[in-house]
Amino acid sequence: MTGAMAGEAELARLEQLFRSPDQASILFSKSFLAEVPADQVAQIVKQLTSSLGEPRTIIQDGEDYAVETGTHSIPTKVTLDDDGLIDGLLFEPPVALTASLDETLEKLGGLADTVSYLIETDGVIRHERDAERPLAVGSAFKLGVLKVLTEDIAAGRRRWDDVVTLEATDRSLPSGQLRLYPAASPLTLHTLAAEMIARSDNTATDTLIRVVGADRIAGVLGLDTLLTTRALFQLKADKPLADAYLSGSAKDRATILTQLAERDLPSVTAASTPYTPGLEWMIPVRRLCSLAVELADTDIFAINPGPVRPAPWQRIAFKGGSETGVLNLTAALIGKDGRKHCLSVTLNRNAEIDETVAAGLFARAAAQLATVK
């Protein structure tokens, strides 16, 4: 089946599904229904139409699709088996169909108490809000780790295929799976960097911090002290120690970090406390944009484009970060015309942030940016 014919068949199946969700049992392969029963599929589709409205159209979006209602676009991935039945289906976060980039940014700004953002094209600012203000950005700080690593590789001090061994003290909490690897596992720098960026693997990140040096990364990010992800989790699980760290001098902080190196990891539950102001990686969106644009050609960004729809872009370099009360979304985007754009948004608040809504609005902003002349 050619790509065009496959696209027509997939569109037809999606139209059938939204028109008659209760007939899901005849639209899906047996292998799919063994994992997700037909009544569950029907319920998901009905929930989407109930909350977002009935589809007005379903269009092809690059290699994927978009189900469009009167108010939202639902990015959708679908695949068919040899019999033309659906054997893969994924609905991604809905994207609000805002009328303009200004409206999109206004809606993003309403999701948190403290907001900063920067949108620029070829270094020229289009929109900004507190772009120089250091805010908590979660795992977006990992752009600084990648920056120092690529500097070493460009200078010939290291190679992507250099192998380092995982140490027990590199292990961190999720996200990521390298924490499950045995100590002394051999891993290339490329594998570690790919896991750090594409899957935000915290153990990969801490291994790279050990290899290239925390002080150098802190300098790139404009920080006095660089926390490893392991150290952050340890501090979040011990409020008295976290308070001492926040109120201490640079020497005090260094002493505390040395002490933490001797401690075991806390449980995920103990470390899952809400954001404590200051106990994070405090970085302005302007610096994150600068790093993302500079690193955009690094091949590992091809693994995970984040919430950005790939169709309008020839290259996407995305990295985000989150914890309770913290969200950053950063993307360097190279258009089909060769222009270089960057979009970075940070949200901080003293409660949960609706990450699904934020990701949808970020995707909408990126799509709108692609059409700006």
Short mmCIF file of all heavy atoms in Angstrom, two decimals, residues 30-60:
data_model
loop_
_atom_site.label_atom_id
_atom_site.label_comp_id
_atom_site.label_asym_id
_atom_site.label_seq_id
_atom_site.Cartn_x
_atom_site.Cartn_y
_atom_site.Cartn_z
N LYS A 30 -7.46 -7.71 16.37
CA LYS A 30 -7.61 -8.52 17.57
C LYS A 30 -6.48 -8.26 18.57
O LYS A 30 -6.71 -8.24 19.78
CB LYS A 30 -7.64 -10.00 17.20
CG LYS A 30 -8.90 -10.44 16.46
CD LYS A 30 -8.86 -11.94 16.15
CE LYS A 30 -10.15 -12.36 15.44
NZ LYS A 30 -10.14 -13.80 15.10
N SER A 31 -5.27 -8.05 18.04
CA SER A 31 -4.14 -7.82 18.94
C SER A 31 -4.30 -6.51 19.71
O SER A 31 -3.99 -6.41 20.89
CB SER A 31 -2.82 -7.80 18.15
OG SER A 31 -2.83 -6.77 17.17
N PHE A 32 -4.83 -5.47 19.04
CA PHE A 32 -5.07 -4.19 19.73
C PHE A 32 -6.14 -4.37 20.80
O PHE A 32 -5.99 -3.92 21.94
CB PHE A 32 -5.49 -3.11 18.73
CG PHE A 32 -5.65 -1.74 19.34
CD1 PHE A 32 -4.63 -0.81 19.24
CD2 PHE A 32 -6.82 -1.39 20.02
CE1 PHE A 32 -4.76 0.45 19.82
CE2 PHE A 32 -6.96 -0.14 20.59
CZ PHE A 32 -5.92 0.79 20.49
N LEU A 33 -7.25 -5.03 20.44
CA LEU A 33 -8.37 -5.17 21.37
C LEU A 33 -8.01 -6.08 22.55
O LEU A 33 -8.66 -6.01 23.60
CB LEU A 33 -9.60 -5.71 20.63
CG LEU A 33 -10.18 -4.75 19.59
CD1 LEU A 33 -11.35 -5.41 18.85
CD2 LEU A 33 -10.63 -3.45 20.23
N ALA A 34 -6.99 -6.91 22.38
CA ALA A 34 -6.53 -7.72 23.50
C ALA A 34 -5.88 -6.86 24.57
O ALA A 34 -5.87 -7.20 25.76
CB ALA A 34 -5.55 -8.79 23.01
N GLU A 35 -5.35 -5.71 24.15
CA GLU A 35 -4.71 -4.78 25.08
C GLU A 35 -5.68 -3.70 25.56
O GLU A 35 -5.67 -3.31 26.73
CB GLU A 35 -3.50 -4.11 24.40
CG GLU A 35 -2.41 -5.06 23.96
CD GLU A 35 -1.68 -5.69 25.13
OE1 GLU A 35 -1.61 -5.05 26.21
OE2 GLU A 35 -1.21 -6.83 24.97
N VAL A 36 -6.51 -3.22 24.65
CA VAL A 36 -7.48 -2.16 24.98
C VAL A 36 -8.85 -2.60 24.46
O VAL A 36 -9.08 -2.60 23.26
CB VAL A 36 -7.09 -0.82 24.33
CG1 VAL A 36 -8.03 0.28 24.79
CG2 VAL A 36 -5.65 -0.45 24.64
N PRO A 37 -9.76 -3.00 25.34
CA PRO A 37 -11.08 -3.49 24.91
C PRO A 37 -11.85 -2.43 24.12
O PRO A 37 -11.66 -1.22 24.29
CB PRO A 37 -11.79 -3.81 26.23
CG PRO A 37 -10.69 -3.99 27.22
CD PRO A 37 -9.59 -3.07 26.79
N ALA A 38 -12.74 -2.91 23.25
CA ALA A 38 -13.50 -2.03 22.38
C ALA A 38 -14.33 -1.02 23.16
O ALA A 38 -14.44 0.15 22.76
CB ALA A 38 -14.41 -2.85 21.45
N ASP A 39 -14.91 -1.45 24.29
CA ASP A 39 -15.74 -0.50 25.05
C ASP A 39 -14.91 0.61 25.67
O ASP A 39 -15.37 1.75 25.83
CB ASP A 39 -16.56 -1.22 26.13
CG ASP A 39 -15.71 -2.00 27.11
OD1 ASP A 39 -14.49 -2.13 26.88
OD2 ASP A 39 -16.26 -2.48 28.12
N GLN A 40 -13.64 0.32 25.98
CA GLN A 40 -12.75 1.36 26.50
C GLN A 40 -12.39 2.36 25.41
O GLN A 40 -12.35 3.57 25.66
CB GLN A 40 -11.48 0.73 27.09
CG GLN A 40 -10.57 1.73 27.77
CD GLN A 40 -9.37 1.05 28.42
OE1 GLN A 40 -9.37 -0.14 28.69
NE2 GLN A 40 -8.32 1.83 28.64
N VAL A 41 -12.14 1.85 24.20
CA VAL A 41 -11.87 2.75 23.08
C VAL A 41 -13.07 3.66 22.84
O VAL A 41 -12.92 4.88 22.67
CB VAL A 41 -11.56 1.94 21.80
CG1 VAL A 41 -11.43 2.88 20.60
CG2 VAL A 41 -10.30 1.12 21.96
N ALA A 42 -14.27 3.07 22.83
CA ALA A 42 -15.48 3.87 22.60
C ALA A 42 -15.65 4.94 23.67
O ALA A 42 -16.02 6.08 23.37
CB ALA A 42 -16.70 2.94 22.58
N GLN A 43 -15.34 4.59 24.91
CA GLN A 43 -15.46 5.56 26.00
C GLN A 43 -14.51 6.72 25.82
O GLN A 43 -14.87 7.88 26.04
CB GLN A 43 -15.21 4.87 27.34
CG GLN A 43 -15.39 5.78 28.54
CD GLN A 43 -15.12 5.07 29.86
OE1 GLN A 43 -14.65 3.94 29.88
NE2 GLN A 43 -15.41 5.74 30.96
N ILE A 44 -13.27 6.43 25.40
CA ILE A 44 -12.28 7.49 25.19
C ILE A 44 -12.74 8.45 24.10
O ILE A 44 -12.68 9.67 24.24
CB ILE A 44 -10.91 6.87 24.83
CG1 ILE A 44 -10.32 6.13 26.03
CG2 ILE A 44 -9.94 7.95 24.34
CD1 ILE A 44 -9.11 5.28 25.71
N VAL A 45 -13.23 7.89 23.00
CA VAL A 45 -13.68 8.73 21.88
C VAL A 45 -14.87 9.58 22.31
O VAL A 45 -14.94 10.78 22.00
CB VAL A 45 -14.04 7.86 20.67
CG1 VAL A 45 -14.69 8.69 19.57
CG2 VAL A 45 -12.79 7.17 20.12
N LYS A 46 -15.79 8.99 23.04
CA LYS A 46 -16.97 9.75 23.51
C LYS A 46 -16.57 10.85 24.48
O LYS A 46 -17.15 11.94 24.46
CB LYS A 46 -17.97 8.80 24.16
CG LYS A 46 -18.66 7.86 23.17
CD LYS A 46 -19.57 6.87 23.89
CE LYS A 46 -20.25 5.92 22.92
NZ LYS A 46 -21.10 4.92 23.60
N GLN A 47 -15.58 10.58 25.33
CA GLN A 47 -15.11 11.61 26.25
C GLN A 47 -14.49 12.78 25.48
O GLN A 47 -14.70 13.95 25.84
CB GLN A 47 -14.09 11.02 27.23
CG GLN A 47 -14.69 10.13 28.30
CD GLN A 47 -13.64 9.45 29.16
OE1 GLN A 47 -12.47 9.36 28.79
NE2 GLN A 47 -14.06 8.96 30.32
N LEU A 48 -13.74 12.46 24.43
CA LEU A 48 -13.13 13.52 23.63
C LEU A 48 -14.20 14.39 22.98
O LEU A 48 -14.13 15.63 23.02
CB LEU A 48 -12.23 12.91 22.55
CG LEU A 48 -10.88 12.35 23.01
CD1 LEU A 48 -10.19 11.61 21.87
CD2 LEU A 48 -9.98 13.47 23.53
N THR A 49 -15.20 13.77 22.39
CA THR A 49 -16.23 14.56 21.71
C THR A 49 -17.12 15.30 22.71
O THR A 49 -17.60 16.40 22.42
CB THR A 49 -17.08 13.66 20.80
OG1 THR A 49 -17.65 12.59 21.58
CG2 THR A 49 -16.24 13.07 19.68
N SER A 50 -17.31 14.71 23.88
CA SER A 50 -18.12 15.37 24.90
C SER A 50 -17.45 16.63 25.41
O SER A 50 -18.11 17.66 25.63
CB SER A 50 -18.39 14.41 26.06
OG SER A 50 -19.07 15.06 27.12
N SER A 51 -16.13 16.56 25.61
CA SER A 51 -15.42 17.71 26.18
C SER A 51 -14.96 18.72 25.13
O SER A 51 -14.86 19.92 25.43
CB SER A 51 -14.21 17.23 26.99
OG SER A 51 -13.30 16.51 26.16
N LEU A 52 -14.69 18.26 23.92
CA LEU A 52 -14.11 19.13 22.90
C LEU A 52 -15.04 19.41 21.72
O LEU A 52 -14.74 20.29 20.90
CB LEU A 52 -12.80 18.53 22.38
CG LEU A 52 -11.73 18.23 23.43
CD1 LEU A 52 -10.52 17.58 22.77
CD2 LEU A 52 -11.32 19.49 24.17
N GLY A 53 -16.11 18.65 21.62
CA GLY A 53 -17.04 18.83 20.50
C GLY A 53 -16.86 17.78 19.43
O GLY A 53 -15.84 17.07 19.37
N GLU A 54 -17.86 17.67 18.58
CA GLU A 54 -17.80 16.71 17.47
C GLU A 54 -16.76 17.15 16.43
O GLU A 54 -16.58 18.36 16.20
CB GLU A 54 -19.16 16.60 16.79
CG GLU A 54 -20.24 15.99 17.66
CD GLU A 54 -20.04 14.50 17.89
OE1 GLU A 54 -19.36 13.86 17.06
OE2 GLU A 54 -20.57 13.98 18.90
N PRO A 55 -16.06 16.20 15.81
CA PRO A 55 -15.09 16.57 14.78
C PRO A 55 -15.74 17.27 13.59
O PRO A 55 -16.80 16.86 13.13
CB PRO A 55 -14.50 15.22 14.35
CG PRO A 55 -14.77 14.30 15.48
CD PRO A 55 -16.06 14.76 16.07
N ARG A 56 -15.10 18.34 13.15
CA ARG A 56 -15.55 19.00 11.93
C ARG A 56 -14.79 18.48 10.73
O ARG A 56 -15.30 18.45 9.61
CB ARG A 56 -15.36 20.51 12.06
CG ARG A 56 -16.28 21.17 13.09
CD ARG A 56 -16.13 22.68 13.07
NE ARG A 56 -17.09 23.32 13.95
CZ ARG A 56 -17.19 24.64 14.11
NH1 ARG A 56 -16.39 25.45 13.42
NH2 ARG A 56 -18.08 25.14 14.95
N THR A 57 -13.55 18.08 10.99
CA THR A 57 -12.73 17.52 9.91
C THR A 57 -11.60 16.72 10.53
O THR A 57 -11.22 16.94 11.68
CB THR A 57 -12.16 18.64 9.00
OG1 THR A 57 -11.46 18.04 7.91
CG2 THR A 57 -11.19 19.52 9.77
N ILE A 58 -11.07 15.78 9.76
CA ILE A 58 -9.89 15.02 10.14
C ILE A 58 -8.90 15.17 8.99
O ILE A 58 -9.21 14.85 7.84
CB ILE A 58 -10.19 13.54 10.41
CG1 ILE A 58 -11.24 13.41 11.51
CG2 ILE A 58 -8.92 12.79 10.81
CD1 ILE A 58 -11.68 11.97 11.80
N ILE A 59 -7.72 15.70 9.30
CA ILE A 59 -6.75 16.01 8.25
C ILE A 59 -5.45 15.27 8.48
O ILE A 59 -5.16 14.83 9.60
CB ILE A 59 -6.47 17.53 8.18
CG1 ILE A 59 -5.86 18.02 9.50
CG2 ILE A 59 -7.74 18.30 7.84
CD1 ILE A 59 -5.37 19.45 9.45
N GLN A 60 -4.69 15.10 7.41
CA GLN A 60 -3.35 14.53 7.54
C GLN A 60 -2.40 15.64 7.95
O GLN A 60 -2.46 16.76 7.43
CB GLN A 60 -2.90 13.90 6.22
CG GLN A 60 -1.66 13.04 6.36
CD GLN A 60 -1.57 11.95 5.33
OE1 GLN A 60 -2.41 11.84 4.44
NE2 GLN A 60 -0.53 11.12 5.43
#
